[in-house]
Amino acid sequence: MKAFRIYLLPIWAILITLTACDLQQEVELDLPEYEPLLVVESYLQPGNPYIVTLIESADFYGDIQINFVRDAEVVISHNGINDTLVPFEIPLDFAFPPGFVDTTLLQQLGPILGEGAYIYTSLNTVPEDYNSEFKLSATAPDGRSLSARTFIPAPVEADSIIVRFNEDSLALMLTQFQDDPNQANFYRRILERRVVDTIVSETGDTSFNYRSRTEQDFFTDDEINNGEIITFGTLFEYQKGDSLINTIYHVTEDYSRFVETRDAAIIASFSPFAPPTVVFSNIEGGLGIFTGFTFTERLTVIE
């Protein structure tokens, strides 16, 4: 039997070696010229118009600016019918009216968005079809093209909403619905608390401002409890009179993976300890997401 010897270099020897090295030496990297890719983002929701955003990816070391692709041919096909979308420009002061957005923020967005947003849309609305496929194709003026396909999951209704109190008169809420056992399902759960602000003017007049505060926002699937009752719950942290908005999104797997990797990439960009993440894309010939979703919501006032 052969014997293996492992020689360990003392740590002081390593330090001496590193000290002897010229750690200030400059290294020149000859990076290839960056070639921008087409990036698309489009969400299909029944009853809403088709909307597609088409931009170019940017060099990591370049300026932070959204480069909209103009005069492209964008087509969405469904059941053999092709719908050619038309360009529509949204001025910056229209998208962010003065008085509703801080002036400093507008000054920061100006160099990024330019004069405003540029989208492709149609007068036709997305049909309520949960069985057929939707296809997207886009061709830029320079000949670059991309394609994608998706479907719209059927809406999911909450079967029951249960409120329970503890001995401290604090309530929790359980939202339950039936999962379809015949397919893989992906959900997004959003729970919001409606908050009422009382505003008293200088003349003594009273008005009320209603806003919503997000309590929960997460994605999940039915891998563990396929075909069973799925329950979303809260802690005992609500009181009588609180108004809660339950929203259940039925989304595609592509959308779930896109958001998960996108959020991880955002975290990685701010933390040197987070692992790098590649954002998921379902676009052929480019980057981005083309997907459909539905949602249902119910308002519950804790009595």
Side-chain angles (χ1 to χ4, degrees):
M1 181 177 183
K2 295 183 179 179
F4 293 88
R5 294 181 180 179
I6 302 177
Y7 295 91
L8 299 178
L9 185 64
I11 186 64
W12 55 266
I14 298 177
L15 293 177
I16 292 176
T17 304
L18 291 177
T19 305
C21 297
D22 182 6
L23 300 181
Q24 300 300 322
Q25 183 177 1
E26 295 184 1
V27 178
E28 294 185 1
L29 298 178
D30 185 14
L31 298 177
E33 184 178 353
Y34 179 75
E35 297 183 1
L37 299 175
L38 295 178
V39 182
V40 69
E41 191 170 9
S42 179
Y43 305 96
L44 305 182
Q45 183 182 351
N48 288 352
Y50 291 111
I51 297 178
V52 174
T53 302
L54 188 63
I55 64 175
E56 284 186 334
S57 62
D59 186 355
F60 180 82
Y61 298 100
D63 296 333
I64 301 177
Q65 184 177 10
I66 298 179
N67 298 317
F68 292 99
V69 178
R70 300 172 179 270
D71 302 323
E73 182 181 357
V74 180
V75 179
I76 292 182
S77 304
H78 172 255
N79 282 340
I81 300 176
N82 296 332
D83 194 341
T84 300
L85 278 60
V86 297
F88 182 75
E89 193 157 6
I90 306 176
L92 189 62
D93 56 356
F94 181 82
F96 303 97
F100 287 87
V101 179
D102 185 78
T103 304
T104 304
L105 178 59
L106 279 179
Q107 293 175 348
Q108 296 173 348
L109 291 175
I112 299 175
L113 291 177
E115 297 180 356
Y118 190 89
I119 64 174
Y120 295 86
T121 186
S122 171
L123 295 178
N124 298 324
T125 58
V126 180
E128 188 176 350
D129 187 345
Y130 308 121
N131 299 310
S132 303
E133 190 176 57
F134 293 81
K135 299 179 181 179
L136 167 70
S137 65
T139 304
D142 60 5
R144 290 176 298 168
S145 62
L146 58 79
S147 62
R149 55 183 60 195
T150 190
F151 69 98
I152 303 176
V156 175
E157 292 276 358
D159 297 323
S160 61
I161 295 179
I162 304 171
V163 177
R164 294 176 181 171
F165 287 88
N166 62 9
E167 60 275 8
D168 298 322
S169 298
L170 294 177
L172 64 73
M173 185 166 61
L174 304 176
T175 304
Q176 298 180 330
F177 62 93
Q178 175 66 51
D179 177 71
D180 184 355
N182 299 317
Q183 62 183 22
N185 294 291
F186 297 82
Y187 306 104
R188 181 181 185 181
R189 147 62 158 200
I190 296 181
L191 179 67
E192 298 170 294
R193 182 191 297 194
R194 178 171 292 181
V195 181
V196 181
D197 298 321
T198 302
I199 302 174
V200 180
S201 66
E202 296 179 354
T203 60
D205 296 330
T206 302
S207 60
F208 302 96
N209 178 48
Y210 296 89
R211 57 186 175 89
S212 297
R213 184 175 65 197
T214 302
E215 303 282 298
Q216 294 180 357
D217 186 353
F218 61 85
F219 286 80
T220 187
D221 57 47
D222 63 350
E223 182 177 0
I224 298 178
N225 45 11
N226 180 47
E228 302 177 2
I229 297 293
I230 294 181
T231 302
F232 295 142
T234 71
L235 300 176
F236 285 98
E237 54 187 354
Y238 301 108
Q239 301 176 351
K240 293 181 180 179
D242 284 346
S243 299
L244 300 176
I245 303 174
N246 275 282
T247 307
I248 303 175
Y249 286 82
H250 198 183
V251 302
T252 64
E253 180 180 6
D254 288 349
Y255 182 44
S256 178
R257 293 178 60 187
F258 170 76
V259 173
E260 179 183 3
T261 55
R262 181 203 62 189
D263 292 348
I266 293 175
I267 294 175
S269 66
F270 289 98
S271 173
F273 305 104
T277 302
V278 177
V279 180
F280 172 81
S281 170
N282 68 346
I283 309 298
E284 296 184 8
L287 302 173
I289 185 69
F290 175 60
T291 188
F293 68 86
T294 55
F295 72 91
T296 58
E297 64 178 23
R298 286 177 59 177
L299 172 64
T300 299
V301 179
I302 297 180
E303 301 291 351

